[in-house]
Amino acid sequence: AAASAASLTMDVDGDISLNPTTGITKFLKAGSDDLCTLTVDTNGATTLATVDDVGTVANFTLDVDGDIELNAESGQVAIKDNTASHFLFDCDNTEFTIYDDTAEADYFKTTVAANGATTMVTVDNDGTAGHLTLQPNGGLILDPDSQNIIINATDKLSFDVRAGDQTYIQESADDILSIYVGGDEMLKIDESTGVPGQILSQAPLLIKETIVA
């Protein structure tokens, strides 16, 4: 038979056991030193590794005619680049973490709790620059079932990219809403000083920081 057709078929009515003393089983590409190894270590810890003898394109592909299930008894599934952590699926705490590729202590984490309550957190290990940017190629729609969008008391709704101390809206105290422009308080709405139902202005109100005579 032709060399390319010299196949080997094992049709066994039972198990096939590979029991190397080293725990390493090698699968090689004929005519080269490119290979895939299956290593079984203490406690059954198993590693699948590929080797490209002359480069770094020994890719590993899962081509499955069905689903792929990752079922980790410990609840932890990690994706790494060599020893550097990049992604962690924590199934015990229903958390997903993405790490910065240069500083593992900087990361983004999403946690899902009871009733689907979800928290997204960024961590800057040595500062407060862990910003979260939403930049859709379209509209940004906030449509909560509660019809309530909450900004915590004393937090600022800023309208510029500076330190948040120039143009913003803030509840500066209980039931007091202040509007700042250029760092100056231009308008204050105080519930305690108003008269219910009082009309302050029937026309659009224009407030300028500098009035030109």
Side-chain angles (χ1 to χ4, degrees):
S4 60
S7 305
L8 174 63
T9 301
M10 292 184 288
D11 187 357
V12 181
D13 187 11
D15 298 331
I16 296 177
S17 297
L18 302 176
N19 190 10
T21 301
T22 62
I24 302 174
T25 303
K26 298 180 179 181
F27 304 88
L28 290 88
K29 176 74 168 82
S32 73
D33 290 326
D34 300 333
L35 73 152
C36 172
T37 61
L38 172 64
T39 303
V40 180
D41 209 335
T42 306
N43 303 316
T46 303
T47 302
L48 274 174
T50 62
V51 175
D52 180 353
D53 185 50
V54 296
T56 57
V57 291
N59 305 321
F60 186 77
T61 302
L62 296 175
D63 188 357
V64 180
D65 188 12
D67 298 329
I68 295 176
E69 178 179 318
L70 299 177
N71 190 342
E73 187 67 24
S74 68
Q76 308 296 303
V77 178
I79 299 177
K80 296 186 176 184
D81 181 0
N82 198 358
T83 59
S85 295
H86 283 271
F87 302 92
L88 175 64
F89 298 85
D90 182 350
C91 300
D92 287 339
N93 298 299
T94 55
E95 293 179 346
F96 172 55
T97 303
I98 303 175
Y99 298 96
D100 177 62
D101 60 348
T102 59
E104 191 172 315
D106 299 330
Y107 58 86
F108 165 77
K109 179 184 293 184
T110 300
T111 303
V112 180
N115 305 312
T118 302
T119 302
M120 293 187 293
V121 174
T122 64
V123 173
D124 178 358
N125 180 55
D126 57 2
T128 55
H131 309 308
L132 181 63
T133 302
L134 300 177
Q135 192 173 355
N137 186 18
L140 179 61
I141 301 171
L142 302 177
D143 187 17
D145 286 347
S146 67
Q147 298 183 332
N148 191 22
I149 299 173
I150 300 171
I151 297 178
N152 289 333
T154 73
D155 285 353
K156 302 173 182 177
L157 178 60
S158 298
F159 294 91
D160 53 39
V161 296
R162 288 168 285 188
D165 58 358
Q166 294 296 311
T167 303
Y168 59 92
I169 299 173
Q170 180 186 37
E171 185 184 19
S172 53
D174 288 345
D175 297 325
I176 297 177
L177 184 66
S178 298
I179 298 178
Y180 292 80
V181 178
D184 295 327
E185 187 178 37
M186 305 297 294
L187 177 64
K188 177 184 288 186
I189 303 173
D190 188 339
E191 183 271 340
S192 65
T193 60
V195 178
Q198 180 181 10
I199 300 176
L200 299 180
S201 174
Q202 293 181 335
L205 181 62
L206 177 62
I207 300 177
K208 291 185 177 181
E209 182 176 3
T210 302
I211 299 177
V212 179

